[in-house]
Amino acid sequence: MTTTDASGLPVADLRSIPSARGWPIVGVAPQLLRDPLKLVSAVMREHGELVRLEGLNTYLVADADLVRAIMIDDPQSFSKNPETMKKISPAIGAGLSTLTGAEWSKHRKLANPVFAKRNVSTFMPIFHRSIRETIAEWDASDGQIVDVTAQMKKLTLRIVIRCLFSTDIDAFSHEIMTSLQTLQHYSVYRLWSPLQLPEYVPTPRVRRYKRAKAFMERMVDRIIARRHELGHQGPDDLLSLLMAARDADTGEPLPDEKVRHDIMNMFLAGHETTANAVAFALYLLAGDPAQAERLWREVEPTEDSDLEYEQLLSLSFNSRVFQESLRLYPSSWAMSRVVLQDYRFRGQLLPKGADLLVSQWCLHRNPRYWRDPERFDPDRFLPERLEQVHKFAYIPFGAGGRKCIGVNLAEAEGRMILAMLARRYRFELTSKTSFALVARLFMSAEPGIALRVSRRRPQ
Ligand code: HEM
């Protein structure tokens, strides 16, 4: 009998995986560090959906069947790489998104109820108040050019802080944003730079990183300590839920240090991602007045009231615009995994120990899965059309056990911001609308997206 692999092909027919070579020794590492989106797009175009990236012991994965195997079908063969996570957790926290193995699984069980869907609707008043604050600022500068990326980052930071801590720390928002940027830059350097100095060498980069880390830790520690002082009188927010959560086996709460690591993870995972999704949606609408008009017609009747959760869910075109924005501009442009045991896929061998870069950027724009993939077309998310698309060709929030824990919160928040802004303003491209896509841990527009923002109804 012939032995077959996971895809049913005979093991004997082993084929080699194509390779992107780059420079001697360092391979494509310098290009990955300089412009990852350009590199992965070119590599996929030239070599296909499974490619070895020389110099990094890493494989680019953009094949939806293989993604399903990695994320869902074969969890025993793949996981997040503990070694990779160790490189970045000093900067972004050893919390939910960076833990691995049994420690992660215990932690995730404890945190899941904190983010359960039933809690999302309780955040609506925070969304309304925070978005109205942005609206008040924009009304005052009607018709001006606005950096919508920066504005959305400010707004989502305010929202995540209010959801986590029920407090305002606007006075520190600039320092928080720059610290988070520094921590992200430093993580990418630790991940991919072929020339790394040890952390005890006090280069300007290391000094900036240590300052940012110390600032964030001090701030979060102070908030946790204050919450202990308040005891049961503390507000009902994500921090309280996290501090009140108990391990199912031991009944123990999370130690403060772990809570701090989780909070650091959530700051980073939960603010820039949502901000970018909305900023790109506004940009896409600005470039397509017909779709913007369609959205306006859907949301305009709600203009004079705060949108309730159920109402928000019923705005189907608004939802499709948000989905399409995350397809074209996935904030999480790639996810990293490691191969735990030799794995055969369509007659090719992924060797044990290899790192994988599972790229949403490549999946979401691959013409094999999407007709006219570069086109902004929210209707591709109509149920009857989506049915035709491979389920794992669209994974802005990941998939399987490690799927984004904040997905419900992020979708509700992003869609609410989009609806409340789209019903009030018209967005236009201007000669200043010019940006580059920059991919670090997340993908963003740099400099931010500059759009003209004008009231639809005169004041
Ligand atoms: C549009 C917004 C967002 C996008 C596109 C996004 C995307 C993702 C993706 C793709 C993953 C999986 C990474 C992987 O498997 O390697 C993830 C995980 C995670 N996200 Fe989000 N996210 C968003 C918003 C949020 C928010 C609002 C929060 C929390 C406040 C959050 C917290 C997390 C955490 C803690 C994890 C790690 C989960 C785990 O590994 O168990 N995210 N996110």
Side-chain angles (χ1 to χ4, degrees):
M1 200 183 84
T2 320
T3 317
T4 56
D5 71 7
S7 60
L9 284 175
V11 168
D13 292 351
L14 208 58
R15 294 183 294 121
S16 60
I17 296 176
S19 223
R21 301 210 171 278
W23 300 92
I25 302 170
V26 292
V28 294
Q31 286 137 285
L32 191 65
L33 197 63
R34 199 170 49 244
D35 192 344
L37 298 179
K38 191 167 162 200
L39 175 81
V40 294
S41 307
V43 162
M44 181 176 80
R45 242 188 342 264
E46 196 174 334
H47 302 286
E49 283 95 9
L50 176 59
V51 186
R52 183 175 155 80
L53 304 177
E54 292 297 337
L56 291 152
N57 189 30
T58 296
Y59 292 78
L60 172 69
V61 175
D63 181 293
D65 285 337
L66 183 53
V67 171
R68 177 173 45 214
I70 294 168
M71 300 290 175
I72 308 276
D73 296 341
D74 289 295
Q76 69 286 1
S77 303
F78 306 98
S79 85
K80 280 204 176 182
N81 189 344
E83 295 311 312
T84 311
M85 294 302 120
K86 258 187 229 150
K87 289 186 192 164
I88 58 173
S89 47
I92 68 167
L96 258 186
S97 62
T98 47
L99 290 173
T100 53
E103 207 185 344
W104 165 77
S105 130
K106 213 167 120 174
H107 209 84
R108 175 89 190 208
K109 272 196 208 116
L110 187 141
N112 269 337
V114 173
F115 283 90
K117 208 168 191 154
R118 69 193 150 82
N119 288 319
V120 170
S121 58
T122 63
F123 294 126
M124 295 300 126
I126 294 181
F127 297 167
H128 294 149
R129 177 156 69 101
S130 312
I131 301 165
R132 278 201 303 263
E133 286 163 3
T134 300
I135 285 176
E137 286 171 31
W138 287 12
D139 276 1
S141 60
D142 189 15
Q144 300 296 308
I145 294 175
V146 170
D147 176 346
V148 292
T149 307
Q151 289 283 308
M152 290 305 104
K153 284 186 187 171
K154 193 169 140 196
L155 171 59
T156 56
L157 184 64
R158 213 179 253 169
I159 291 178
V160 86
I161 287 171
R162 286 174 177 165
C163 292
L164 285 167
F165 310 133
S166 314
T167 185
D168 286 333
I169 29 185
D170 276 6
F172 300 110
S173 79
H174 180 70
E175 196 159 359
I176 295 173
M177 280 199 267
T178 43
S179 300
L180 291 175
Q181 279 303 328
T182 305
L183 295 175
Q184 208 187 136
H185 278 249
Y186 191 74
S187 303
V188 172
Y189 160 76
R190 280 283 168 230
L191 281 179
W192 292 333
S193 178
L195 301 167
Q196 296 193 22
L197 294 170
E199 207 167 293
Y200 56 76
V201 182
T203 58
R205 185 201 307 268
V206 166
R207 282 206 299 271
R208 273 197 306 276
Y209 154 65
K210 288 194 170 162
R211 255 199 319 272
K213 181 173 145 123
F215 167 76
M216 290 300 293
E217 288 183 352
R218 245 189 347 262
M219 185 191 65
V220 177
D221 281 347
R222 241 182 254 154
I223 294 172
I224 295 175
R226 172 89 184 110
R227 196 55 64 90
H228 280 304
E229 282 164 29
L230 290 173
H232 290 304
Q233 278 146 33
D236 179 20
D237 51 24
L238 286 178
L239 178 62
S240 296
L241 291 172
L242 208 56
M243 288 170 74
R246 293 291 178 269
D247 186 299
D249 301 322
T250 64
E252 292 292 312
L254 277 177
D256 282 357
E257 206 203 335
K258 294 230 157 116
V259 174
R260 188 224 294 152
H261 284 295
D262 268 350
I263 297 286
M264 293 282 285
N265 270 196
M266 282 168 204
F267 256 126
L268 211 82
H271 119 83
E272 195 181 323
T273 45
T274 317
N276 283 324
V278 182
F280 283 120
L282 300 178
Y283 164 71
L284 291 164
L285 291 166
D288 193 333
Q291 301 288 16
E293 212 55 30
R294 276 181 77 191
L295 178 57
W296 184 64
R297 278 201 302 278
E298 180 180 76
V299 292
E300 193 264 346
T302 68
E303 161 103 48
D304 298 319
S305 61
D306 276 338
L307 273 170
E308 290 313 320
Y309 188 48
E310 296 306 320
Q311 234 180 331
L312 181 70
L313 297 182
S314 73
L315 299 173
S316 59
F317 190 65
N318 184 62
S319 156
R320 295 204 293 282
V321 170
F322 189 67
Q323 285 173 296
E324 176 70 339
S325 166
L326 274 171
R327 182 187 69 83
L328 280 166
Y329 298 103
S331 320
S332 161
W333 65 277
M335 299 172 285
S336 86
R337 294 293 187 271
V338 66
V339 184
L340 298 175
Q341 54 193 22
D342 279 2
Y343 189 81
R344 288 185 168 77
F345 177 76
R346 291 202 192 116
Q348 296 163 306
L349 176 73
L350 282 168
K352 178 180 173 183
D355 279 312
L356 305 178
L357 201 60
V358 180
S359 171
Q360 288 102 327
W361 171 260
C362 292
L363 283 160
H364 291 188
R365 287 178 179 246
N366 188 340
R368 227 179 94 193
Y369 302 122
W370 303 93
R371 190 180 306 157
D372 208 356
E374 308 292 319
R375 210 180 100 181
F376 172 53
D377 176 12
D379 285 346
R380 60 174 95 238
F381 286 93
L382 281 168
E384 61 275 19
R385 282 183 61 189
L386 197 57
E387 240 169 45
Q388 321 283 322
V389 180
H390 195 303
K391 199 161 165 249
F392 290 84
Y394 181 69
I395 48 165
F397 294 99
R402 298 214 68 142
K403 186 171 176 176
C404 178
I405 200 169
V407 55
N408 295 325
L409 177 65
E411 283 187 336
E413 178 186 351
R415 285 156 64 173
M416 180 68 84
I417 300 174
L418 184 59
M420 286 180 67
L421 296 181
R423 69 190 187 178
R424 196 169 187 88
Y425 303 106
R426 176 177 286 109
F427 297 90
E428 289 164 282
L429 304 178
T430 78
S431 58
K432 296 213 165 61
T433 316
S434 159
F435 59 86
L437 288 176
V438 177
R440 296 198 185 90
L441 291 183
F442 305 114
M443 192 184 82
S444 189
E446 286 187 14
I449 304 171
L451 300 178
R452 188 177 306 286
V453 180
S454 324
R455 282 283 303 265
R456 288 220 175 234
R457 288 190 204 153
Q459 308 210 36

